[in-house]
């Protein structure tokens, strides 16, 4: 890869990272002020949940919780059930493969068209430069709406237009992931060396030709690596889509949970963990070693999987362009617009929005603290047999927690707590702990240890060398990951709300059941506003502490 593996991935995912910004005066103690504000909001959130009228703990759920984990020792292994799960797993993988490929195709085109390199001002009159700048801004803002709506919401909307067609799962992944990929690809293109591109432009080559020959070959390893990272995310999203009606292993999980067939649930859990381990291993190898051979092999593998997925799903592509679909889409748009307030008006909407914000912040904070505490143990950095065994156990825990989608964690949390924001926050915390822990562990693995080694060589105690030689360079990256996952957790409150965990997700599910499409539009717009607010706060924190 042209940039350092996961470090490049972090740079792609961080909103608001600019180039060439001038230095500015920093307010002393700004970091402590942000930390203090976060702790106050955390305390307010948890205390408001505890102080609510009515019980918080599900006193009858503990025996079910114990029975659930006891069933892990005896998973369902009958031939008929395994065949059914194999079919469901293939469906989930097919959704992920086709959704990712379509998202990458859309992201590559839209990424070029939304990059600053494509809209580079260069020479020309001032009005022409202003027009190009406005064009860049309009195309960039155009990606905000599809990116801000969770794929589960897209699936619910597409189901009303396409019915129970495999295209629902594919498009529900492709639409938001395409917008996310376009944003990331635009940043990769803009970070590539501008010299060859400008040289070709100076010789009279068009923007497309200059990008094709001067920028894309250099950026190809990073583009391919991010595409595979997006596939990892698509597999988890495909499971969530199955839980809201798109089929696959997520649908089987819902059936097994609803029937309290815990042995079946554990068989599916083990399948998800195994699948996550295979995808994670290949993706990690691609990010670490890169190279055209591995990239080319990944491209060939993706092509083969795409053919297999098309054969397995057999989507009716003509349905997308049919007159019936156009009519249903027009009817859906008519029902969605104008957005409406929920029953209870502004009071209900604001209360649920505040609850959603609380859930996301508590989840991100708990996940971040646990991830940092685990990252140094999970990092692969040698050591003796005991250290390696502990590291393997930590990585296994991280793999397990991120392999299960948030709705599954929410269902488990509802064994112990009554429906509300607390089980939703705990479910999101468990899921994001697995992702954050893995990312932070790779940060530790990729650290430059020379400062630490010099401190040790100069006689500094081990704890001091760790505190001054390891924590400072890792801390900034940890913070960036934590803030980014806070933004993601905001979107994911939708899927834990579907199973009764509170917030705007629960409101959205109630509106869906009542076919209140105008209310759904209002709730989704509120989620987009909240996501934008979190994005602004995250950017402000980064700029203050950078």
């Amino acid at each position: 890869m042209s940039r350092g593996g996961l470090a490049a991935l972090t740079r792609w995912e961080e909103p608001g990272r600019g180039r060439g910004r001038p230095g500015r005066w920093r307010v002393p103690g700004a970091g402590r002020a942000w930390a203090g504000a976060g702790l106050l909001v955390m305390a307010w959130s948890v205390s408001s949940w505890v102080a609510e009228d009515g019980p918080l703990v599900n006193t009858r759920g503990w025996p079910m919780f114990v029975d659930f984990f006891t069933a892990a020792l005896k998973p369902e292994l009958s031939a008929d059930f395994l065949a059914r799960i194999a079919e469901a797993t293939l469906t989930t993988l097919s959704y992920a493969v086709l959704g990712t490929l379509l998202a990458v195709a859309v992201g590559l085109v839209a990424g070029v068209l939304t990059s600053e390199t494509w809209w580079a001002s260069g020479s020309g009159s001032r009005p022409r430069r202003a027009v190009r700048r406005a064009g860049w801004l309009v195309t960039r803002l155009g990606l905000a709406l599809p990116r801000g709506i969770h794929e589960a919401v897209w699936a619910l909307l597409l189901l009303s237009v396409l019915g129970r067609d495999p295209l629902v799962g594919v498009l529900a992944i492709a639409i938001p992931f395409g917008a996310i990929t376009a944003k990331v690809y635009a940043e990769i293109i803009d970070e590539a060396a501008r010299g060859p591109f400008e040289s070709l432009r100076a010789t009279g080559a068009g923007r497309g030709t200059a990008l094709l020959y001067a920028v894309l070959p250099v950026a190809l390893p990073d583009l391919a690596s991010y595409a595979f990272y997006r596939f990892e995310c698509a597999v988890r999203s495909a499971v969530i889509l199955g839980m809201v009606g798109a089929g696959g292993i997520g649908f089987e999980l819902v059936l097994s949970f609803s029937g309290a067939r815990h042995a079946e649930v554990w068989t599916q859990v083990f399948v998800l963990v195994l699948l996550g381990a295979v995808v994670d291993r290949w993706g990690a190898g691609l990010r670490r070693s890169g190279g055209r051979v591995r990239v080319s092999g990944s491209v060939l593998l993706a092509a083969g999987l795409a053919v297999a997925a098309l054969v397995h799903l057999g989507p009716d592509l003509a349905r997308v362009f049919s007159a019936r679909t156009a009519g249903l889409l027009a009817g859906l748009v008519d029902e969605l617009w104008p957005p409406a307030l929920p029953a209870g008006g502004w009071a209900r909407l604001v209360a649920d929005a505040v609850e959603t914000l609380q859930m996301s912040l508590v989840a991100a904070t708990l996940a971040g603290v646990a991830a940092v505490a685990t990252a140094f143990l999970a990092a692969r950095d040698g050591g003796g047999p005991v250290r390696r065994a502990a590291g393997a156990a930590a990585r296994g825990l991280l793999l397990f927690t991120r392999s299960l989608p948030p709705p599954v964690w929410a269902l488990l949390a509802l064994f112990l707590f009554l429906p509300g924001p607390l089980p939703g926050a705990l479910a999101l915390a468990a899921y994001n702990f697995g992702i954050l822990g893995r990312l932070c562990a790779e940060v530790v693995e990729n650290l430059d240890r020379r400062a630490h080694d010099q401190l040790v060589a100069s006689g500094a105690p081990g704890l001091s060398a760790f505190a001054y030689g390891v924590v400072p360079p890792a801390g900034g990256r940890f913070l960036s990951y934590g803030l980014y996952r806070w933004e993601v957790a905001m979107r994911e409150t939708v899927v834990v709300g579907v199973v009764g965990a509170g917030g705007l997700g629960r409101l959205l599910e109630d509106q869906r059941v009542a076919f209140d499409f105008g209310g759904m539009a209002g709730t989704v717009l509120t989620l987009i506003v909240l996501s934008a607010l979190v994005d602004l706060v995250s950017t402000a924190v980064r700029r203050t502490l950078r």
Side-chain angles (χ1 to χ4, degrees), residues 348 352 497-498 503-516 520:
R348 169 76 187 277
D352 285 346
V498 168
L504 288 172
R506 182 60 191 172
L507 173 60
L508 191 66
E509 176 64 10
D510 292 341
Q511 291 167 332
R512 184 191 70 84
V513 172
F515 297 100
D516 181 9
M520 289 179 64

Side-chain angles (χ1 to χ4, degrees), residues 85 88 213 336 369 399 422 523:
I85 295 305
Y213 288 99
L336 290 171
V369 171
L399 174 63
L422 180 58
T523 303

Side-chain angles (χ1 to χ4, degrees), residues 143-489:
L143 297 176
L145 181 62
R147 191 173 69 240
I149 301 176
H150 194 276
E151 47 269 24
V153 178
W154 281 113
L156 294 174
L157 296 175
L158 290 167
L159 277 169
S160 64
V161 176
L162 299 175
R164 297 186 64 84
D165 188 277
L167 287 172
V168 170
V170 175
L171 294 177
I173 293 173
I175 293 173
F177 279 27
I180 294 170
T181 303
K183 175 181 177 294
V184 173
Y185 277 7
E187 294 180 4
I188 295 173
I189 292 170
D190 290 337
E191 289 179 2
R194 218 37 109 71
F197 173 80
E198 293 176 349
S199 298
L200 282 178
R201 291 284 284 150
T203 63
R207 286 179 294 179
T209 302
L211 277 168
L212 182 62
Y213 288 99
V215 176
L216 292 183
V218 176
L220 180 61
D222 285 345
L223 297 175
S225 179
Y226 184 79
F228 204 93
Y229 169 77
R230 190 45 52 187
F231 174 63
E232 296 179 41
C233 300
V235 172
R236 293 190 286 266
S237 293
V239 177
I240 294 174
L241 295 180
M243 301 185 77
V244 297
I249 197 167
F251 181 69
E252 296 293 337
L253 272 171
V254 170
L255 291 179
S256 298
F257 257 115
S258 61
R261 297 188 293 273
H262 297 157
E264 293 183 0
V265 173
W266 274 104
T267 301
Q268 295 166 75
V269 167
F270 292 142
V271 169
L272 288 174
V273 171
L274 178 61
L275 185 60
V278 172
V279 173
D280 179 65
R281 192 67 179 175
W282 182 265
L286 184 64
R287 286 191 295 272
R288 285 177 183 144
S289 59
R292 296 190 180 277
V293 174
R294 187 176 284 269
V295 170
S296 300
S298 298
V299 171
L300 291 175
L301 177 62
L305 290 175
V307 173
L310 285 171
V311 172
H312 175 71
L313 293 179
D316 183 6
L317 300 179
R319 176 177 293 194
V320 178
F321 308 102
S322 67
R324 178 179 180 275
T325 298
L328 290 173
L329 180 60
L332 176 63
V333 172
D334 186 61
E335 292 185 69
L336 290 171
W337 194 263
L341 291 173
W346 282 106
R348 169 76 187 277
L349 187 64
V350 171
D352 285 346
V354 169
E355 193 171 80
T356 297
L357 187 61
Q358 291 175 320
M359 288 169 59
S360 66
L361 180 61
V362 171
T365 303
L366 293 177
V369 171
V372 171
T374 309
F376 293 98
L377 181 61
R380 293 182 174 89
D381 58 357
V386 175
R387 170 67 181 82
R388 290 197 297 271
R395 290 190 294 274
L397 175 63
L398 295 174
L399 174 63
F400 176 78
T401 52
R402 70 175 179 267
S403 295
L404 300 187
V408 174
W409 284 114
L411 290 170
L412 293 178
L414 289 171
F415 280 145
L416 303 179
F417 301 94
L418 295 174
L422 180 58
L426 294 177
L428 291 174
Y431 174 69
N432 283 282
F433 160 66
I435 297 176
L436 272 174
R438 171 207 169 209
L439 297 177
C440 292
E442 294 210 19
V443 169
V444 175
E445 292 173 4
N446 295 330
L447 281 178
D448 186 346
R449 296 297 185 101
R450 286 177 294 182
H452 172 268
D453 295 342
Q454 289 172 0
L455 286 171
V456 172
S458 65
L463 184 59
S464 298
F466 174 80
Y468 290 98
V470 175
V471 173
R477 192 68 70 189
F478 288 170
L479 179 65
S480 295
Y481 276 132
L483 290 172
Y484 171 68
R485 291 310 302 182
W486 179 27
E487 300 168 30
V488 175

Side-chain angles (χ1 to χ4, degrees), residues 87-164:
E87 177 78 9
T89 303
L90 185 56
T91 299
T92 296
L93 276 175
S94 298
Y95 285 145
V97 169
L98 294 179
T100 302
L101 289 177
L102 188 55
V104 169
V106 171
L108 186 59
V109 175
V112 168
L113 296 179
T114 56
S115 66
E116 293 186 67
T117 303
W118 177 263
W119 294 97
S121 297
S123 59
S125 63
R126 180 173 295 179
R128 292 187 64 183
R129 292 198 299 270
V131 168
R132 285 197 289 264
R133 186 68 181 175
W136 171 80
L137 184 61
V138 169
T139 55
R140 197 67 175 246
L141 291 176
L143 297 176
L145 181 62
R147 191 173 69 240
I149 301 176
H150 194 276
E151 47 269 24
V153 178
W154 281 113
L156 294 174
L157 296 175
L158 290 167
L159 277 169
S160 64
V161 176
L162 299 175
R164 297 186 64 84

